[in-house]
Amino acid sequence: MDAKQFISVILPLRLSWTPYYYATVPVERGMRVRVRFSGKEYVGVVREVGVRPETDVARILPILSVEALSPVTEGELRLWDFVASYYLCTLGEVYKAAYPVLRIEKEESALRTQQRREARLEEALRKREAKMERLRERRAAKEVLRDKARKAEKRAEYEAAIAAIDAELERLSQAAAEPDAPAAGKRLETRLSPAQQIAKNEIDKYLLSKKVVLLNGITGSGKTEVYLALAREQLQQGKSVLYLVPEIALSRQLEDRLRAHLGETLLTFHSGETEAHRRDVAQALSKGPYVVLGTRSALFLPHRNLGLVIVDEEHDASYKQDSPAPRYQGRDTAVMLASIHGARTVLGSATPSMESLYNCRTGLFAQVFLRERYYEGGEADVEIIDTIAERRKRGMVGSLSRRLIAHIRETLDAGEQVILLRGRRSYAPMVQCEACGDIPHCPHCNVALSYHKSAGRMVCHYCGFSAPFTGTCGKCGGALQPLGAGTQRIEEEVAALFPEAGVGRLDSDTPPAQVAALIRSFSEGRTRILVGTQMVSKGFDFEGLTLVAILAADTLLGQQDFRADERAVQLLEQFRGRCGRRGKKGLFVIQTARPSHPVYARFRGEDPSPDQFLEERSQFGYPPFSRLVTLILKDTSEARLDHLASALALHLCTAFGIRPSLLADPSARVSLTGPYKPAMDRVADRHIRHIRIVLKRDKNLSHNKEQILTLINTFEREKAWSGHVAIDVDPL
Ligand code: ADP
Ligand code: ZN
């Protein structure tokens, strides 16, 4: 009989321990094995081999089989350990996130790759055709303007613009399917501008000394080209690169651009990929150097020979996973991943996160600036429009001011394009009865229902509940009126004002299949005005775009969160950067009811210190000067929740020898506030309370965090309340 070998196995469950099994065949760490646990079968991952169980050996079960799957690598396992211990979750939860069980699909990967390649080529040809068509249209528009112009000076200006368009048309008609997709084997090369070259040299220098580099470059400075240059060098040395972006849906443009440079050495990976695709990517990674473009879930691929990790738009909140566990921060995990592999890290942003600025201050990161736009023309001009003052002067037409309407008209007349941002999807964020004033709420959440006109429904944006819109108040039978305007209503208003423009809408109600078509239509100039939510503020690079405007900008402000204003500035800056990227002067319009709010300071031309927000955080001892852990408690019974939330707060305070306080005390080793009601205190029939713990950043930090976890585990067990407490480390 074979000797029994005891092993511990990570199961895709929320277990705070790893169960033991025994194997009679040779197994190694990382292998995938099938086991039985609590009457069910799971595929787990061997964590340790040759362990000596403390439990009764006779009760340990054998493994059922060794799976014919590639083993999990040592690098992956080390990353899992880091994530579990830093974010106070279980290894099983990390395993589940790294290897999600997705729908099984037939293996047709080779075929798929071929089809994708052909589709790309076709698209490139079509794109060139559309681009030329657009240029011809623009040329015609300029001719009209030239003929109308009275001043000789103006006429000459249009004449020059027409000549430039002719040159571009000439170039395009001569080129092959360039520049968007290279013919096989042919790749696009770029030369860095002097400013980019200086930045790159500086980055190289810091990377040599193994520092994490923060590339702080204004929008349009060409950070992408710098990343590309760095990535190419890695590939030449036979090393792979991980290139992270916050959201891949909108990075299609970036993918095309990178593909033109990297050809088949580019792989993409984002969350929601099929298992077959994950296997394809994993297999490719084991063979040769690649650049993987992906969202945070790409961190959990079996990376090999990793030389560089790039985190683009590192400040972006979508790097943080908020639910379910592991609630990890993709940016910080990327730094960890790189260090596990002895690779380098470059973070990039026009508006860096406070965390990264802090790390630069303490010398952990090095900051490299890129202050010049690649194309001349500088930043877009800004016009702040005070909607209250305008309304008094009858200067508002629905959601748009007359001034903005005039700018839109001018832009369209010049053959150029417009993006309008409104931070709320739906037709109206809420409806109200004109007779009794009632505002219909979600029966399961503490939030008003929004009105989706095209679907004819009222929808809850938190739990998805929806009901038909009848137009009459359920309480008194009066008529329901839309209150405020969401993207759908703006789209309707704009389409009425500019019927010939071609208006598109992009928000999370846009079916994924339509997103790509819409982006294409806009980049080919068939759609001239795009209305959308925050989704339109990121990543886009449209040649014809010269006017961007944000409506009701104040919805970005005034949330009771110390990060709201910083986020507002980041979003506004990001959005401004979308326009006038090809040397044309752009215009950024902000419609606001609070034009003197500090968030708009830098857009008013004042120049607040870049460290303004960091200073504020330092004064109040907010992160990153301290560490924050938020406990999210949920229960269907509000009474039980209130009772147990208070009991848990007390349990923690007693253990740490502190008292709950109203305000966090950053000088204390540990301080605790709550339980309190968050802004949204009921979602999907579950009531919610938060407890906020502030920890000093000292040598006891990780010990204190562990203690919190232990205390919560005991509490849950004692009160038979398990599964009701979620721990969010470094919440956003
Ligand atoms: P950022 O990411 O910093 O906002 P991008 O990388 O998108 O800026 O660059 C802005 C524009 O300038 C893009 O259209 C890009 O193609 C162009 N560009 C930047 N650097 C170069 C370069 N070295 N050669 C050619 N085009 C460049
Ligand atoms: Zn709801």
Side-chain angles (χ1 to χ4, degrees):
M1 199 187 106
D2 285 319
K4 277 187 188 177
Q5 197 174 23
F6 289 105
I7 59 176
S8 64
V9 176
I10 303 168
L11 298 180
L13 297 170
R14 185 178 177 237
L15 287 179
S16 52
W17 48 288
T18 39
Y20 297 119
Y21 291 89
Y22 71 84
T24 48
V25 291
V27 289
E28 279 168 34
R29 177 167 153 90
M31 277 186 177
R32 317 272 301 272
V33 291
R34 183 172 292 271
V35 297
R36 185 176 290 280
F37 183 84
S38 267
K40 276 199 187 157
E41 279 185 25
Y42 295 95
V43 175
V45 178
V46 178
R47 185 178 185 206
E48 302 151 292
V49 179
V51 286
R52 231 180 233 263
E54 309 97 59
T55 40
D56 182 3
V57 173
R59 292 176 52 193
I60 291 178
L61 299 172
I63 63 167
L64 302 174
S65 61
V66 175
E67 297 293 286
L69 296 166
S70 351
V72 175
T73 63
E74 189 57 36
E76 289 173 89
L77 285 167
R78 283 182 57 196
L79 189 69
W80 296 4
D81 273 325
F82 160 77
V83 170
S85 74
Y86 187 90
Y87 294 101
L88 305 182
C89 64
T90 70
L91 279 171
E93 286 167 319
V94 188
Y95 169 38
K96 246 165 88 175
Y99 286 76
V101 180
L102 298 161
R103 79 191 145 86
I104 309 295
E105 50 157 4
K106 284 186 227 95
E107 297 279 343
E108 10 167 49
S109 48
L111 182 65
R112 231 180 22 231
T113 317
Q114 178 61 22
Q115 281 169 344
R116 279 192 194 185
R117 196 175 298 152
E118 279 166 15
R120 268 201 306 274
L121 213 68
E122 227 168 84
E123 195 178 323
L125 284 166
R126 225 173 29 68
K127 260 192 178 163
R128 187 185 62 172
E129 213 27 66
K131 190 168 183 179
M132 293 178 67
E133 188 50 42
R134 196 167 63 233
L135 284 170
R136 286 185 208 112
E137 274 172 28
R138 199 173 299 151
R139 187 182 191 285
K142 299 270 185 233
E143 273 181 338
V144 173
L145 289 170
R146 178 196 59 193
D147 296 343
K148 273 201 282 189
R150 266 179 246 126
K151 284 196 202 119
E153 204 177 293
K154 268 279 168 206
R155 271 201 302 276
E157 207 175 281
Y158 289 121
E159 207 44 73
I162 292 169
I165 293 176
D166 284 341
E168 179 71 5
L169 279 169
E170 180 65 22
R171 192 185 64 77
L172 282 172
S173 63
Q174 310 240 325
E178 294 286 343
D180 290 320
K186 192 167 169 227
R187 291 192 190 157
L188 205 62
E189 291 288 332
T190 42
R191 191 170 304 150
L192 295 182
S193 70
Q196 288 169 336
Q197 191 58 53
I198 291 170
K200 166 143 188 316
N201 293 346
E202 237 180 299
I203 294 175
D204 285 337
K205 183 184 78 192
Y206 287 122
L207 291 185
L208 266 183
S209 65
K210 300 192 181 173
K211 277 200 186 209
V212 172
V213 175
L214 172 67
L215 174 59
N216 190 350
I218 62 170
T219 52
S221 57
K223 294 184 284 295
T224 318
E225 308 295 331
V226 177
Y227 303 146
L228 263 169
L230 293 164
R232 271 203 206 96
E233 283 176 3
Q234 294 294 329
L235 292 175
Q236 277 157 17
Q237 292 165 28
K239 298 243 175 184
S240 282
V241 177
L242 175 62
Y243 189 136
L244 290 182
V245 288
E247 285 162 283
I248 208 133
L250 299 177
S251 68
R252 266 288 308 251
Q253 271 201 322
L254 177 64
E255 187 185 332
D256 289 348
R257 201 168 143 193
L258 295 184
R259 176 94 46 204
H261 289 267
L262 302 167
E264 300 305 316
T265 53
L266 181 72
L267 300 173
T268 58
F269 188 83
H270 54 92
S271 64
E273 291 280 19
T274 57
E275 284 196 311
H277 183 68
R278 191 188 198 278
R279 271 200 300 278
D280 285 351
V281 172
Q283 210 182 9
L285 282 174
S286 70
K287 287 192 195 123
Y290 276 98
V291 174
V292 181
L293 174 67
T295 50
R296 60 173 193 265
S297 54
L299 287 162
F300 296 106
L301 287 167
H303 294 286
R304 254 171 254 246
N305 239 331
L306 191 62
L308 174 69
V309 181
I310 295 163
V311 184
D312 193 19
E313 309 293 6
E314 62 88 26
H315 65 276
D316 199 290
S318 26
Y319 277 121
K320 176 79 192 300
Q321 165 142 328
D322 40 46
S323 196
R327 296 178 174 77
Y328 65 103
Q329 164 57 268
R331 174 194 56 231
D332 301 344
T333 310
V335 174
M336 196 56 195
L337 175 76
S339 97
I340 288 172
H341 289 265
R344 307 289 185 251
T345 317
V346 175
L347 314 176
S349 173
T351 48
S353 62
M354 295 306 125
E355 287 72 13
S356 295
L357 288 176
Y358 173 88
N359 285 331
C360 290
R361 224 187 234 197
T362 61
L364 198 61
F365 293 3
Q367 196 169 8
V368 173
F369 293 94
L370 195 46
R371 294 191 171 92
E372 258 174 46
R373 285 200 142 200
Y374 178 76
Y375 288 107
E376 275 169 37
E379 306 252 86
D381 287 332
V382 183
E383 183 169 328
I384 299 182
I385 296 179
D386 178 345
T387 48
I388 293 186
E390 290 299 319
R391 187 152 284 131
R392 248 185 251 127
K393 296 188 292 191
R394 300 180 180 276
M396 296 295 290
V397 182
S399 315
L400 308 186
S401 59
R402 291 188 194 281
R403 280 161 66 191
L404 176 55
I405 293 172
H407 286 307
I408 297 176
R409 179 141 292 135
E410 251 169 60
T411 308
L412 295 178
D413 284 347
E416 287 157 4
Q417 290 171 294
V418 182
I419 294 187
L420 302 176
L421 192 161
R422 166 70 174 121
R424 295 263 190 283
R425 64 193 171 96
S426 78
Y427 187 80
M430 53 180 88
V431 294
Q432 187 171 33
C433 171
E434 46 177 27
C436 74
D438 185 59
I439 294 174
H441 273 60
C442 174
H444 309 288
C445 309
N446 191 6
V447 69
L449 291 170
S450 34
Y451 172 39
H452 289 242
K453 192 176 177 186
S454 49
R457 299 187 80 83
M458 312 233 282
V459 181
C460 171
H461 287 180
Y462 283 84
C463 74
F465 168 86
S466 85
F469 176 74
T470 57
T472 47
C473 174
K475 299 251 161 75
C476 78
L480 290 174
Q481 294 299 339
L483 212 58
T487 45
Q488 288 180 15
R489 188 168 182 175
I490 310 261
E491 180 192 11
E492 192 180 281
E493 290 180 15
V494 173
L497 285 165
F498 303 99
E500 71 298 338
V503 182
R505 174 168 55 84
L506 183 63
D507 57 33
S508 53
D509 293 323
T510 313
Q514 276 174 32
V515 172
L518 181 58
I519 292 173
R520 189 179 303 146
S521 165
F522 194 75
S523 78
E524 291 171 359
R526 281 177 285 128
T527 298
R528 310 277 301 281
I529 304 179
L530 188 63
V531 177
T533 51
Q534 274 81 336
M535 276 170 99
V536 300
S537 67
K538 294 177 199 169
F540 287 140
D541 188 1
F542 295 116
E543 208 181 329
L545 178 65
T546 53
L547 173 61
V548 296
I550 178 164
L551 311 179
D554 311 311
T555 43
L556 303 174
L557 318 171
Q559 297 142 19
Q560 17 142 269
D561 174 352
F562 61 88
R563 281 177 244 242
D565 288 359
E566 298 161 19
R567 274 202 220 124
V569 170
Q570 286 166 343
L571 179 114
L572 293 170
E573 199 54 71
Q574 203 81 45
F575 188 42
R576 154 157 74 169
R578 292 311 107 213
C579 79
R581 292 169 74 80
R582 303 291 168 90
K584 282 184 223 138
K585 193 76 188 166
L587 177 64
F588 175 33
V589 173
I590 302 175
Q591 282 198 175
T592 164
R594 299 164 72 188
S596 56
H597 194 283
V599 157
Y600 306 121
R602 70 156 89 189
F603 304 97
R604 285 193 298 262
E606 293 157 33
D607 198 16
S609 136
D611 279 0
Q612 169 198 8
F613 293 117
L614 200 57
E615 282 313 321
E616 268 173 45
R617 289 214 196 172
S618 147
Q619 265 169 30
F620 294 103
Y622 287 143
F625 296 89
S626 57
R627 284 277 179 223
L628 202 60
V629 175
T630 299
L631 309 183
I632 303 149
L633 319 168
K634 293 186 185 173
D635 201 319
T636 46
S637 151
E638 187 164 21
R640 186 169 53 214
L641 178 63
D642 277 328
H643 172 68
L644 288 173
S646 304
L648 176 58
L650 191 68
H651 178 64
L652 292 166
C653 284
T654 313
F656 284 109
I658 57 172
R659 285 200 286 168
S661 50
L662 273 178
L663 280 174
D665 175 6
S667 64
R669 183 173 66 103
V670 180
S671 82
L672 181 148
T673 60
Y676 58 87
K677 285 189 182 185
M680 265 302 290
D681 65 351
R682 187 168 67 106
V683 172
D685 288 322
R686 296 208 292 171
H687 297 270
I688 308 170
R689 297 291 181 271
H690 285 181
I691 292 175
R692 183 178 264 217
I693 307 168
V694 181
L695 299 166
K696 205 169 180 172
R697 279 183 81 142
D698 60 12
K699 60 180 191 326
N700 296 318
L701 177 64
S702 58
H703 173 248
N704 288 337
K705 276 166 63 185
E706 254 167 60
Q707 201 181 344
I708 292 172
L709 179 63
T710 316
L711 288 165
I712 292 171
N713 284 341
T714 355
F715 182 85
E716 284 190 319
R717 217 172 313 122
E718 277 171 11
K719 306 284 181 189
W721 203 48
S722 99
H724 292 267
V725 184
I727 308 176
D728 195 356
V729 176
D730 299 345
L732 282 187

